[in-house]
Structures are given as C-alpha cells and as structure tokens.
Amino acid sequence: MIEFWREALIFLGGLWAGTINTVVGSGTLVTFPILVALGTAPVNAVVSNAMGLVAGGFSGAWGYRREAASVKKTLLKLVPVSLAGGLIGSLLLLNLPESVFGIVAPVLLVCALVLVIFQPRLSKWAKTRQAASGGTDPDDADRARIPLVLYILVFLIGVYGGYFTAAQGILLMAVFGIFLQASLQQSNAIKVILSLIVNLVAAIMYLIIAPERIHWLIVLLIAVGSLIGGFIGAKVGRKLSPGWLRAVIVILGLIALGNMLYKLV
C-alpha cells in the first residue's frame, strides 16, 4: 500500500506533468523520476506513467481544439504515422529484456534532458528560420505540402515515445519548426494530439499484453492530476516561467538518472 504522502506526491507530479506537456512537452521527466524514486521498477514506471498521462493528453487536446481544427488535414496525414511509431515502440518496451531498458533508458534520459536545456535555442532557431522564409500564414498552413522527411521523423519520434515517452513533445516541436509550415500555436496543437496518440496506443498495448506491469493506483493518480494539469496548461500555462519549468524538469531528471545508474552499479 502506497503511503498517503507518496500518493500526494504522485498526484502533484501528474498535475505538473499534465500542465507542462500541454505547454512544452517533457512531462514524463517529472513523473518518471518520482515513480523510480518511490521504488517502482523502471519499465513498470514507464507503463503506468504513459497510461496515466493519456488523460492529460485529452484535456490538452481539448484546450487546443481551435488550433487543431485549422490544421486538420495535416493531422489526418500525421496521426497514422505517430500511431504506427507508438505501436512499435510499445512492443519494443514490452518484448525486449528489462536489462536492455536499464541500459538504454539512462542514455535516452540524458538526451531528453539535453533537449530540455537547449529547447529555447531550438525554438529561437526555428522561429528565425521561419521568419527568413517569409513567416507562416496560419490560413495557409493546412495547404502546405508535408515533406517526406517529416513523415519519417514523426514516425521515429513515435517509436521513441512508445518506448520511453520522455520529451517527445520537444522533439516534435523541434522538427515542426524546421519542416512544417505552421504557426507556433498550430504546431503546439499538433504536438499535443500526436503525443496523445502515441501514449494512447501504447496504453492499449500495455493493457492487452502486459497488464501485470500496470500499477492501477499510480495510473489513477497521474490520470486525475494530468487531466487537471492539461486544462491548466491550455488556459494559463503560457504564463508560467519557462526557466522554472525547465529547472524543475532537469533536477527531477537528474535524480532519476542517478537512481538508475546507482542500480546498474
């Protein structure tokens, strides 16, 4: 039985993760370290966390429904690609030996933390690139051709998201800034929905193939917290200090990394 303070900590982690997932992504770098620190096995933590964050994905997607409606053709093209990637990633997580995850996860965690740290520079570079090409007219975004390289990258990010989930939103925003002719808010709406698709298909696979890895109390606490957080992120998340958001994410990510490396040694 999880003690009350642990339940409260997991709930607050879910609330924070749901908020920042809607704003910038990388909410898993809040919840995953908390679960690992509380003694949850890493693979079980990924499984339970991904299932819980589905709720926050729905509330975040609802908050960005207007922006999403303006790029529905683009979404219809990219959703199947993310779905296929998420399916493969979740199958890799469930079928590869847990020892493989123990080795790969710290590397992925370091990559995710680097992305979080350099996210402002990536965003600035993407905006500069868009401005140099004449800017982006939101009304024309859904009529622009999607390059093949974007399909490939979205698929690979889906595989990554199905396997580990952390910072897939930041990865998506980075590639959208380079290869997608859309405004920042339209890109964010697409990011929220594609991340939701990956988490949702992964959750279904976990439920079918490995229900014994699911900690239902953890799923419930993260689901309720992230559901509320998703609405907060869509409404007021843009007012939160990006610096503080990144600082919390990096600190918790480093805690998780230290925990996992300690267990490897």
PDB file of all heavy atoms in Angstrom, residues 8 13 25 37-38 60 70 80 103 176 184 192 208 228 236:
ATOM      1  N   ALA A   8       0.122  11.627  -2.625  1.00  0.00           N
ATOM      2  CA  ALA A   8       0.054  13.074  -2.883  1.00  0.00           C
ATOM      3  C   ALA A   8       1.169  13.510  -3.827  1.00  0.00           C
ATOM      4  O   ALA A   8       0.949  14.324  -4.736  1.00  0.00           O
ATOM      5  CB  ALA A   8       0.144  13.840  -1.562  1.00  0.00           C
ATOM      6  N   GLY A  13       2.845  15.298  -9.120  1.00  0.00           N
ATOM      7  CA  GLY A  13       3.684  15.072 -10.299  1.00  0.00           C
ATOM      8  C   GLY A  13       2.852  14.982 -11.561  1.00  0.00           C
ATOM      9  O   GLY A  13       3.208  15.540 -12.603  1.00  0.00           O
ATOM     10  N   GLY A  25       5.870  20.107 -23.441  1.00  0.00           N
ATOM     11  CA  GLY A  25       6.216  18.689 -23.512  1.00  0.00           C
ATOM     12  C   GLY A  25       7.180  18.317 -22.398  1.00  0.00           C
ATOM     13  O   GLY A  25       7.533  19.150 -21.553  1.00  0.00           O
ATOM     14  N   ALA A  37      12.015   6.953  -7.946  1.00  0.00           N
ATOM     15  CA  ALA A  37      12.497   7.273  -6.600  1.00  0.00           C
ATOM     16  C   ALA A  37      11.655   6.598  -5.525  1.00  0.00           C
ATOM     17  O   ALA A  37      12.161   6.251  -4.448  1.00  0.00           O
ATOM     18  CB  ALA A  37      12.496   8.787  -6.391  1.00  0.00           C
ATOM     19  N   LEU A  38      10.379   6.377  -5.812  1.00  0.00           N
ATOM     20  CA  LEU A  38       9.487   5.721  -4.848  1.00  0.00           C
ATOM     21  C   LEU A  38       9.566   4.197  -4.920  1.00  0.00           C
ATOM     22  O   LEU A  38       8.820   3.502  -4.231  1.00  0.00           O
ATOM     23  CB  LEU A  38       8.036   6.177  -5.076  1.00  0.00           C
ATOM     24  CG  LEU A  38       7.753   7.654  -4.758  1.00  0.00           C
ATOM     25  CD1 LEU A  38       6.304   8.002  -5.071  1.00  0.00           C
ATOM     26  CD2 LEU A  38       8.068   7.962  -3.296  1.00  0.00           C
ATOM     27  N   GLY A  60      -5.521  18.498 -22.738  1.00  0.00           N
ATOM     28  CA  GLY A  60      -4.690  19.423 -23.500  1.00  0.00           C
ATOM     29  C   GLY A  60      -5.168  19.572 -24.932  1.00  0.00           C
ATOM     30  O   GLY A  60      -5.200  20.676 -25.487  1.00  0.00           O
ATOM     31  N   SER A  70      -7.746  24.083 -37.403  1.00  0.00           N
ATOM     32  CA  SER A  70      -7.195  24.845 -38.530  1.00  0.00           C
ATOM     33  C   SER A  70      -6.136  24.064 -39.301  1.00  0.00           C
ATOM     34  O   SER A  70      -5.714  24.481 -40.373  1.00  0.00           O
ATOM     35  CB  SER A  70      -6.593  26.172 -38.032  1.00  0.00           C
ATOM     36  OG  SER A  70      -5.442  25.933 -37.240  1.00  0.00           O
ATOM     37  N   PRO A  80      -1.672   8.731 -38.421  1.00  0.00           N
ATOM     38  CA  PRO A  80      -1.343   7.318 -38.659  1.00  0.00           C
ATOM     39  C   PRO A  80       0.144   7.015 -38.497  1.00  0.00           C
ATOM     40  O   PRO A  80       0.518   5.920 -38.063  1.00  0.00           O
ATOM     41  CB  PRO A  80      -1.789   7.092 -40.109  1.00  0.00           C
ATOM     42  CG  PRO A  80      -2.786   8.162 -40.383  1.00  0.00           C
ATOM     43  CD  PRO A  80      -2.320   9.340 -39.595  1.00  0.00           C
ATOM     44  N   ILE A 103      19.796  -0.279 -19.580  1.00  0.00           N
ATOM     45  CA  ILE A 103      20.975   0.312 -20.218  1.00  0.00           C
ATOM     46  C   ILE A 103      20.588   1.477 -21.120  1.00  0.00           C
ATOM     47  O   ILE A 103      21.232   2.535 -21.126  1.00  0.00           O
ATOM     48  CB  ILE A 103      21.728  -0.756 -21.036  1.00  0.00           C
ATOM     49  CG1 ILE A 103      22.260  -1.848 -20.095  1.00  0.00           C
ATOM     50  CG2 ILE A 103      22.868  -0.127 -21.830  1.00  0.00           C
ATOM     51  CD1 ILE A 103      22.817  -3.050 -20.823  1.00  0.00           C
ATOM     52  N   PHE A 176       8.952  20.237 -36.243  1.00  0.00           N
ATOM     53  CA  PHE A 176       7.907  21.060 -36.853  1.00  0.00           C
ATOM     54  C   PHE A 176       8.461  22.432 -37.219  1.00  0.00           C
ATOM     55  O   PHE A 176       8.103  23.013 -38.251  1.00  0.00           O
ATOM     56  CB  PHE A 176       6.722  21.229 -35.892  1.00  0.00           C
ATOM     57  CG  PHE A 176       5.907  19.978 -35.700  1.00  0.00           C
ATOM     58  CD1 PHE A 176       5.021  19.861 -34.632  1.00  0.00           C
ATOM     59  CD2 PHE A 176       6.011  18.913 -36.579  1.00  0.00           C
ATOM     60  CE1 PHE A 176       4.274  18.717 -34.449  1.00  0.00           C
ATOM     61  CE2 PHE A 176       5.270  17.756 -36.395  1.00  0.00           C
ATOM     62  CZ  PHE A 176       4.395  17.658 -35.324  1.00  0.00           C
ATOM     63  N   LEU A 184       3.303  28.714 -34.456  1.00  0.00           N
ATOM     64  CA  LEU A 184       3.735  28.072 -33.223  1.00  0.00           C
ATOM     65  C   LEU A 184       2.563  27.405 -32.512  1.00  0.00           C
ATOM     66  O   LEU A 184       2.674  26.266 -32.025  1.00  0.00           O
ATOM     67  CB  LEU A 184       4.395  29.104 -32.310  1.00  0.00           C
ATOM     68  CG  LEU A 184       4.958  28.579 -30.981  1.00  0.00           C
ATOM     69  CD1 LEU A 184       6.057  27.554 -31.244  1.00  0.00           C
ATOM     70  CD2 LEU A 184       5.473  29.717 -30.124  1.00  0.00           C
ATOM     71  N   VAL A 192       0.504  18.204 -29.237  1.00  0.00           N
ATOM     72  CA  VAL A 192      -0.312  17.669 -28.147  1.00  0.00           C
ATOM     73  C   VAL A 192      -1.098  16.449 -28.615  1.00  0.00           C
ATOM     74  O   VAL A 192      -1.165  15.419 -27.918  1.00  0.00           O
ATOM     75  CB  VAL A 192      -1.267  18.758 -27.602  1.00  0.00           C
ATOM     76  CG1 VAL A 192      -2.292  18.151 -26.653  1.00  0.00           C
ATOM     77  CG2 VAL A 192      -0.476  19.845 -26.880  1.00  0.00           C
ATOM     78  N   ILE A 208      -3.295  -4.853 -23.068  1.00  0.00           N
ATOM     79  CA  ILE A 208      -3.534  -6.148 -23.717  1.00  0.00           C
ATOM     80  C   ILE A 208      -2.422  -7.148 -23.416  1.00  0.00           C
ATOM     81  O   ILE A 208      -2.690  -8.318 -23.086  1.00  0.00           O
ATOM     82  CB  ILE A 208      -3.662  -5.961 -25.247  1.00  0.00           C
ATOM     83  CG1 ILE A 208      -4.912  -5.134 -25.584  1.00  0.00           C
ATOM     84  CG2 ILE A 208      -3.725  -7.310 -25.958  1.00  0.00           C
ATOM     85  CD1 ILE A 208      -5.008  -4.755 -27.043  1.00  0.00           C
ATOM     86  N   ILE A 228      -6.309  17.493 -14.892  1.00  0.00           N
ATOM     87  CA  ILE A 228      -6.432  18.877 -14.407  1.00  0.00           C
ATOM     88  C   ILE A 228      -5.303  19.734 -14.978  1.00  0.00           C
ATOM     89  O   ILE A 228      -5.515  20.859 -15.434  1.00  0.00           O
ATOM     90  CB  ILE A 228      -6.400  18.909 -12.865  1.00  0.00           C
ATOM     91  CG1 ILE A 228      -7.577  18.115 -12.295  1.00  0.00           C
ATOM     92  CG2 ILE A 228      -6.428  20.350 -12.352  1.00  0.00           C
ATOM     93  CD1 ILE A 228      -7.495  17.884 -10.794  1.00  0.00           C
ATOM     94  N   VAL A 236      -3.647  28.644 -18.799  1.00  0.00           N
ATOM     95  CA  VAL A 236      -2.733  29.616 -18.198  1.00  0.00           C
ATOM     96  C   VAL A 236      -1.277  29.187 -18.293  1.00  0.00           C
ATOM     97  O   VAL A 236      -0.393  29.903 -17.823  1.00  0.00           O
ATOM     98  CB  VAL A 236      -3.093  29.866 -16.706  1.00  0.00           C
ATOM     99  CG1 VAL A 236      -4.504  30.392 -16.587  1.00  0.00           C
ATOM    100  CG2 VAL A 236      -2.926  28.593 -15.874  1.00  0.00           C
TER     101      VAL A 236
END
